[in-house]
Amino acid sequence: MHCTADTSNKVTFLPRFGLRLMLPKCFDRVDYFGYGPYESYIDKHRASYLGNFSADISDLHEDYIRPQENSSHYGCTHMTVSSDTAAIRFSGDRFSFNASEYTQEELAAKRHNFELEKSNCSVICVDGMMAGVGSNSCGPQLAEKYRLPLKGVTLDIRMEFTAM
């Protein structure tokens, strides 16, 4: 799959560009090659290292007191999300993914971690590019090299479906 986006001059910042899938809850396991085992972003991955990792989706969530974007994994070349009976494998050149029990809308709407309600789906994001986590909300602006380009951002990803 090859996707591109061009934005209007009214857009000043894109947080991510990619796919979001809502899969049945039984898709609860991920295996990947990328930065891990902790969350990692283009500007925040020094505590992680490149390798093969496996985890239950429920174990990937970072429980911040104020809910926010979390648990992305940067620099991946492949990732498989699976159930007992099927798997979806994503492969490409340096993408990021997030697998969560919470939607981005839920994380943005709640002020405290104890208010979060799990989705009835496994929420899978596969991003051709995701912006860094730095911002000028409490510090300097995000460096240009960690931002998404506003013209011609792309996602090239291969998806393979397997019955087990």
Side-chain angles (χ1 to χ4, degrees), residues 80-124:
T80 302
V81 59
S82 58
S83 70
D84 289 340
T85 59
I88 305 171
R89 179 182 167 90
F90 300 88
S91 56
D93 184 30
R94 293 190 76 123
F95 62 90
S96 294
F97 85 89
N98 174 296
S100 180
E101 296 180 300
Y102 304 100
T103 65
Q104 286 74 24
E105 292 84 0
E106 179 69 8
L107 293 170
K110 300 298 170 64
R111 294 181 53 106
H112 305 97
N113 58 355
F114 63 85
E115 297 173 314
L116 288 172
E117 295 178 35
K118 292 179 181 177
S119 172
N120 60 357
C121 301
S122 289
V123 182
I124 309 298

Side-chain angles (χ1 to χ4, degrees), residues 7-28:
T7 61
S8 75
N9 60 0
K10 295 179 181 173
V11 175
T12 58
F13 178 77
L14 285 177
R16 65 184 348 144
F17 179 71
L19 304 171
R20 182 168 75 158
L21 304 167
M22 304 298 199
L23 298 177
K25 286 283 265 188
C26 62
F27 283 86
D28 60 358

Side-chain angles (χ1 to χ4, degrees), residues 59-72:
D59 294 332
L60 292 176
H61 179 74
E62 295 289 339
D63 194 27
Y64 296 121
I65 293 171
R66 180 169 176 87
Q68 57 192 282
E69 166 64 42
N70 74 83
S71 298
S72 183

